[in-house]
């Protein structure tokens, strides 16, 4: 008889990855502590050891996970801003099941540190009022991704539990969505340059 493998230790990272999988494949409404415990093969109460505030802490952790973005400084503030906006879009599109959390939860922890780093990068590259610029870029990226999610049919069904959840397709955006994003990004950066 083969020996039983020891269980994989529970960690905050494992919890977040399992929660992202549930949210992306079944929808955020279906993410419960019990369902998460089942996916991790632990009692739901074991999750509270890693997330003492429970589901609220889990929601904060998911939002932090998809909004913590780092981009290498470019040759100019525009290059840095463009890299950050593209990386943010990619991170949000990777986990559209938690987009609503990213839109409604303020940056905390690592996400707040990443926003400060981005602000400092842009200021160091010569952009006046970099804090305002970062707020504008975040608003643009979050809004652009929300429109992409809406137009692509990734959104959860309204209240009809009989309608099956359709998980989002992964990967790059459609050529039209990519073109629209770049057009809006160029307009935003031109506006920030003239401000």
């Amino acid at each position: 008889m083969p020996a039983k493998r020891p269980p994989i230790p529970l960690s905050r990272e494992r919890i977040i990855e399992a929660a992202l999988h549930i949210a992306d494949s079944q929808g955020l409404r279906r993410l419960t502590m019990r369902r998460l415990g089942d996916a991790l093969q632990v009692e739901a109460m074991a999750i509270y050891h890693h997330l003492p505030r429970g589901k609220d802490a889990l929601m904060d952790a998911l939002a932090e996970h998809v909004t913590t973005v780092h981009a290498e400084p470019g040759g100019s503030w525009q290059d840095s801003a463009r890299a950050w906006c593209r990386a943010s879009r990619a991170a949000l599109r990777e986990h559209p099941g938690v987009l609503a959390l990213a839109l409604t939860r303020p940056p905390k922890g690592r996400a707040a540190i990443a926003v400060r780093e981005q602000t400092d990068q842009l200021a160091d590259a010569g952009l006046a009022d970099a804090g305002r610029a970062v707020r504008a870029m975040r608003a643009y990226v979050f809004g652009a991704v929300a429109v992409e999610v809406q137009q692509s049919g990734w959104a959860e069904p309204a209240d009809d539990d009989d309608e099956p959840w359709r998980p989002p397709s992964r990967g790059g955006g459609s050529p039209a969505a990519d073109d629209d994003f770049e057009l809006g990004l160029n307009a935003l950066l031109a506006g920030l340059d003239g401000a």
Side-chain angles (χ1 to χ4, degrees):
M1 179 151 112
K4 280 179 88 174
R5 284 192 278 169
I8 300 171
L10 192 59
S11 66
R12 189 178 204 290
E13 292 76 24
R14 253 188 87 212
I15 292 167
I16 291 169
E17 288 302 318
L20 286 169
H21 178 74
I22 292 169
D24 289 339
S25 64
Q26 299 176 33
L28 194 56
R29 291 183 311 158
R30 303 225 190 251
L31 177 58
T32 64
M33 297 304 262
R34 174 172 280 153
R35 186 169 278 132
L36 182 57
D38 290 347
L40 293 164
Q41 298 179 341
V42 299
E43 291 293 323
M45 291 306 294
I47 297 167
Y48 289 86
H49 175 71
H50 299 277
L51 298 166
R53 290 185 3 254
K55 190 156 184 186
D56 194 49
L58 177 62
M59 297 299 116
D60 284 345
L62 294 176
E64 179 182 342
H65 181 83
V66 298
T67 59
T68 301
V69 175
H70 299 281
E72 293 298 317
S76 66
W77 73 261
Q78 292 93 336
D79 292 339
S80 295
R82 196 171 267 108
W84 183 85
C85 288
R86 288 174 180 156
S88 294
R89 178 182 181 232
L92 291 168
R93 288 172 47 90
E94 182 66 23
H95 296 292
V98 296
L99 177 61
L101 295 175
L103 293 169
T104 58
R105 304 251 172 174
K108 294 180 181 177
R110 294 177 307 135
I113 292 168
V115 168
R116 278 193 300 275
E117 287 174 358
Q118 180 62 25
T119 303
D120 292 345
Q121 278 181 7
L122 294 177
D124 291 347
L127 179 61
D129 205 355
R132 186 171 142 234
V134 168
R135 287 190 301 276
M137 290 186 303
R138 285 175 54 86
Y140 171 68
V141 171
F142 287 17
V145 173
V147 169
E148 286 183 59
V149 168
Q150 179 188 45
Q151 291 179 343
S152 67
W154 287 354
E156 293 183 64
D159 286 322
D160 186 3
D161 287 335
D162 294 333
E163 185 177 339
W165 167 258
R166 288 172 284 125
S169 57
R170 295 290 175 96
S174 71
D178 293 343
D179 290 346
D180 290 347
F181 181 81
E182 292 297 323
L183 178 68
L185 179 56
N186 290 335
L188 172 63
L189 296 181
L192 291 172
D193 196 27

